[in-house]
Amino acid sequence: IKQIVPVAFVCYAFNLNLGSLVGGVGFRLRLYNKLGLDAAQIARLIVLSLVTNWSGWLLLAGATFALRQIELPPAFALSLGLLQALGVVMVALPLAYVAACFFSKRREWAWRTHRFTLPSGRLALAQLGLSSLNWALIGAIVWQLMPRELGFGTVLATQLSAAVIAVPTHVPGGLGVLEAVYVAVLGARVPTTSLIAALLAFRALYYVLPLAVAAALHLALE
């Protein structure tokens, strides 16, 4: 644990700020290799991390969509009914993953030259629980910084939506993307200046501060 936790913290902080190719893959390859893991083990670790992260996102985002916690702008093409149905499907996916890990008799799966082994049901449940807690805490931090008239469910749904929209842009830290989503979704309800101020404070707390600690820790690890 004394070796794994610092490496995981460094990788996560750099992943948040510099993107998945640098923090999620590059730092993991280097730092876990220094701990003696081979390429196959590191690849399995990266896949496990990805499944953990997005299983919690699917559960919480799906729940907020299904419960209609987000108000779509009038120009948005997707209706609230379709968004609610999408939310139900999203919730079902991580639950199906956990059920498969508990009850599937086939534990190993192959795709082309890659082979995947299902974790135990207890581990899958821990993945889903920890990831959901992480995303909920992120939403809670932003909510505490936002104007009081915004409810937690609304802020959480917006944050989760912004997180996934930022992924394909490959913009480090989703800079500008996060702010644009908040302004588009909530700009009609609260002043834009209040939204931007809250998001800048969030970036300082959740991005910049951990990055400074991770940079110092990375120097120690090297």
Side-chain angles (χ1 to χ4, degrees), residues 39-57:
Q41 291 173 318
I42 297 172
R44 287 195 292 271
L45 183 61
I46 291 174
V47 170
L48 188 68
S49 298
L50 289 171
V51 172
T52 300
N53 182 62
W54 292 110
S55 65
W57 181 89

Side-chain angles (χ1 to χ4, degrees), residues 72-135:
L72 297 175
F76 202 76
L78 193 64
S79 68
L80 281 176
L82 286 176
L83 185 66
Q84 191 172 30
L86 176 62
V88 172
V89 173
M90 290 167 65
V91 169
L93 289 175
L95 295 181
Y97 166 71
V98 172
C101 291
F102 267 109
F103 304 114
S104 177
K105 294 181 179 180
R106 182 180 176 183
R107 309 304 299 177
E108 192 171 90
W109 300 78
W111 180 70
R112 295 183 180 178
T113 59
H114 306 285
R115 305 187 73 84
F116 305 95
T117 302
L118 285 177
S120 67
R122 291 180 62 184
L123 179 56
L125 201 58
Q127 287 177 270
L128 185 59
L130 289 172
S131 178
S132 299
L133 178 61
N134 175 57
W135 284 108

Side-chain angles (χ1 to χ4, degrees), residues 22-208:
V22 177
V25 177
F27 272 75
R28 280 193 172 96
L29 285 173
R30 176 169 178 78
L31 295 177
Y32 283 120
N33 183 260
K34 287 171 67 68
L35 294 181
L37 277 67
D38 59 32
Q41 291 173 318
I42 297 172
R44 287 195 292 271
L45 183 61
I46 291 174
V47 170
L48 188 68
S49 298
L50 289 171
V51 172
T52 300
N53 182 62
W54 292 110
S55 65
W57 181 89
L58 281 168
L59 182 66
L60 286 187
T64 59
F65 294 165
L67 296 173
R68 298 191 175 186
Q69 292 297 304
I70 189 169
E71 295 182 12
L72 297 175
F76 202 76
L78 193 64
S79 68
L80 281 176
L82 286 176
L83 185 66
Q84 191 172 30
L86 176 62
V88 172
V89 173
M90 290 167 65
V91 169
L93 289 175
L95 295 181
Y97 166 71
V98 172
C101 291
F102 267 109
F103 304 114
S104 177
K105 294 181 179 180
R106 182 180 176 183
R107 309 304 299 177
E108 192 171 90
W109 300 78
W111 180 70
R112 295 183 180 178
T113 59
H114 306 285
R115 305 187 73 84
F116 305 95
T117 302
L118 285 177
S120 67
R122 291 180 62 184
L123 179 56
L125 201 58
Q127 287 177 270
L128 185 59
L130 289 172
S131 178
S132 299
L133 178 61
N134 175 57
W135 284 108
L137 287 174
I138 293 173
I141 294 172
V142 183
W143 178 57
Q144 286 297 313
L145 298 169
M146 285 287 169
R148 291 298 87 192
E149 57 263 36
L150 295 176
F152 174 67
T154 299
V155 173
L156 178 61
T158 307
Q159 178 66 31
L160 293 169
S161 301
V164 75
I165 290 173
V167 171
T169 65
H170 299 295
V171 177
L175 188 62
V177 180
L178 182 68
E179 292 77 5
V181 172
Y182 268 90
V183 171
V185 175
L186 303 175
R189 298 176 58 182
V190 295
T192 300
T193 52
S194 299
L195 292 174
I196 298 300
L199 293 172
L200 287 175
F202 168 67
R203 285 193 178 278
L205 289 171
Y206 197 78
Y207 285 77
V208 179

Side-chain angles (χ1 to χ4, degrees), residues 2-32:
K2 291 181 180 179
Q3 292 176 304
I4 294 298
V5 170
V7 170
F9 178 80
V10 168
C11 293
Y12 187 70
F14 277 92
N15 183 29
L16 279 176
N17 287 274
L18 301 179
S20 58
L21 291 179
V22 177
V25 177
F27 272 75
R28 280 193 172 96
L29 285 173
R30 176 169 178 78
L31 295 177
Y32 283 120

